[in-house]
Amino acid sequence: MTTTTAVAHPNIAFIKYWGNRDDVLRLPANGSISMNLDGLETRTSAEFDPQLGEDEFTLQGVVQIGTAAERVSDHLNLLRNMAGVAWKARIVSENNFPIGAGIASSASAFAALTVAAAAALGLELAERALSILARRGSGSASRSVPEGFVEWFVASRDEDSFAFSIAPPSHWPLIDLIAIVNAGPKKVSSAEGNVLARTSPLQAARVADAPRRLNLCRRAILEKNFTALAEIVEEDTRLMHAVMMTSQPSLTYWEPETLELMRIIPEWRAGGLPTAYTIDAGPNVHCLSLEESAQEVERRLREFPAVSQILRARPGLGAKIVPG
Ligand code: DP6
């Protein structure tokens, strides 16, 4: 059988996905908006082999067993069912960014896996169908399928909850400077955290208010209004982390330096430096900035002893097949 290779970028959510209305189908509690991160990528090859007894999943050169391998096999089962075959697969996946550095690797992982495996099975699927399938593997992966700035629809049916591009990467050359304050693996995965979201009394209010935040964020992107984007992105981050902290059991992903940056970044902005923070399910701080402000933001971030590394990303393309 032929081997097919796909590349996908992780994405940073501006309006966060946190919590599901259906945990099995990964139908989100609210819509979300993100930007793909160029420069950071997952490259995944898929080969289906009728002679193979079990799926084999190799990540960064290491054969995986346990939960990671099961999650990949479960995802392949969806694709095998669509194609009407039972063949097992060899999956080989590499990230060019540090795993465990707190960059959402499940988004690029399941987007690349979906696109590579669908092509290897000869399934000719449109972007929308690929986004729906990627969502079943990891919610945020639905947003790594289309290009650039992406919105993922909230919906009550599997076939209606997909992501689509609201603007191409060239629309607005935003820069994401990812300040790594703790490179260790997170204690509670997003998959586990998403299931806990509904235990917070604040989640219902966060979800009910999501259409307002989505509208403000979409408009800020389309109008390239950095101040408007900064304000809504930071507000949305604080709302998600408030839900995490008030879940049962409660989740606190921040380190002291995370909070320090959350305090100082709006001060830098008030002083005339366009930058804004956003934080996923981890302690690391994504500092959004413009081309003209990125160098100064990076210089200031480097003054923090706890910032061990800074990754830089521009708006990225969607997931695609590449030569093997
Ligand atoms: C905090 O997509 O990683 O990054 O669907 O369970 O795999 P699963 O979760 P995942 O959750 C991402 C949560 C987030 C916010 C976001 O990317 O929208």
Side-chain angles (χ1 to χ4, degrees):
M1 296 291 288
T2 51
T3 303
T4 309
T5 304
V7 165
H9 303 292
N11 63 72
I12 179 65
F14 293 168
I15 301 298
K16 310 289 185 188
Y17 150 57
W18 194 247
N20 296 317
R21 58 167 66 187
D22 183 322
D23 290 324
V24 176
L25 289 176
R26 280 191 161 80
L27 292 173
N30 61 279
S32 53
I33 292 180
S34 61
M35 178 181 100
N36 285 347
L37 300 176
D38 186 42
L40 312 182
E41 66 178 41
T42 300
R43 180 173 290 259
T44 298
S45 301
E47 181 193 19
F48 287 85
D49 183 348
Q51 310 298 324
L52 208 58
E54 293 295 333
D55 290 323
E56 281 175 20
F57 173 41
T58 306
L59 177 61
Q60 307 295 84
V62 180
V63 177
Q64 302 292 303
I65 48 166
T67 321
E70 279 168 29
R71 203 166 160 186
V72 166
S73 284
D74 287 349
H75 195 60
L76 292 172
N77 286 341
L78 292 176
L79 289 142
R80 281 187 278 252
N81 284 344
M82 279 181 95
V85 299
W87 309 324
K88 302 296 180 190
R90 276 184 206 89
I91 306 294
V92 178
S93 196
E94 301 281 339
N95 287 326
N96 77 345
F97 53 96
I99 290 190
I103 316 301
S105 50
S106 66
S108 50
F110 281 96
L113 177 67
T114 303
V115 170
L121 285 167
L123 292 168
E124 285 180 18
L125 301 176
E127 180 184 280
R128 176 176 168 157
L130 289 167
S131 173
I132 289 169
L133 275 168
R135 188 201 80 224
R136 299 284 304 272
S138 176
S140 53
S142 67
R143 297 189 313 241
S144 279
V145 174
E147 66 167 0
F149 299 86
V150 174
E151 179 161 357
W152 169 20
F153 278 130
V154 62
S156 52
R157 295 189 314 171
D158 177 50
E159 58 270 39
D160 298 330
S161 188
F162 58 91
F164 67 102
S165 179
I166 56 176
S170 59
H171 168 70
W172 197 12
L174 285 182
I175 294 180
D176 181 15
L177 295 165
I178 311 165
I180 309 293
V181 298
N182 183 340
K186 53 188 162 198
K187 291 180 268 312
V188 178
S189 71
S190 308
E192 293 167 274
N194 271 313
V195 176
L196 296 179
R198 62 174 66 89
T199 66
S200 164
L202 304 184
Q203 172 71 346
R206 193 190 74 88
V207 168
D209 179 60
R212 178 189 67 90
R213 300 193 306 281
L214 288 162
N215 285 340
L216 287 173
C217 182
R218 195 184 312 109
R219 193 184 317 150
I221 291 170
L222 295 177
E223 292 175 355
K224 296 187 247 188
N225 181 339
F226 190 84
T227 306
L229 182 75
E231 282 167 10
I232 196 61
V233 163
E234 291 182 353
E235 182 187 346
D236 189 83
T237 293
R238 292 191 300 271
L239 278 167
M240 180 181 74
H241 284 270
V243 166
M244 290 164 160
M245 288 180 197
T246 50
S247 293
Q248 291 179 358
S250 84
L251 303 171
T252 302
Y253 285 106
W254 299 343
E255 296 290 340
E257 298 76 18
T258 315
L259 194 53
E260 214 174 315
L261 288 168
M262 288 173 74
R263 188 184 55 76
I264 207 158
I265 286 171
E267 284 179 16
W268 292 348
R269 190 166 67 249
L273 184 68
T275 182
Y277 66 76
T278 180
I279 302 151
D280 275 350
N284 302 315
V285 181
H286 291 249
C287 304
L288 304 177
S289 58
L290 296 169
E291 272 182 323
E292 57 269 27
S293 57
Q295 203 181 342
E296 175 61 13
V297 174
E298 189 166 351
R299 191 190 66 73
R300 293 189 191 184
L301 289 172
R302 286 201 190 286
E303 285 175 358
F304 287 79
V307 174
S308 57
Q309 197 184 356
I310 300 172
L311 304 173
R312 183 189 264 255
R314 290 167 180 280
L317 292 168
K320 57 181 184 308
I321 297 291
V322 294

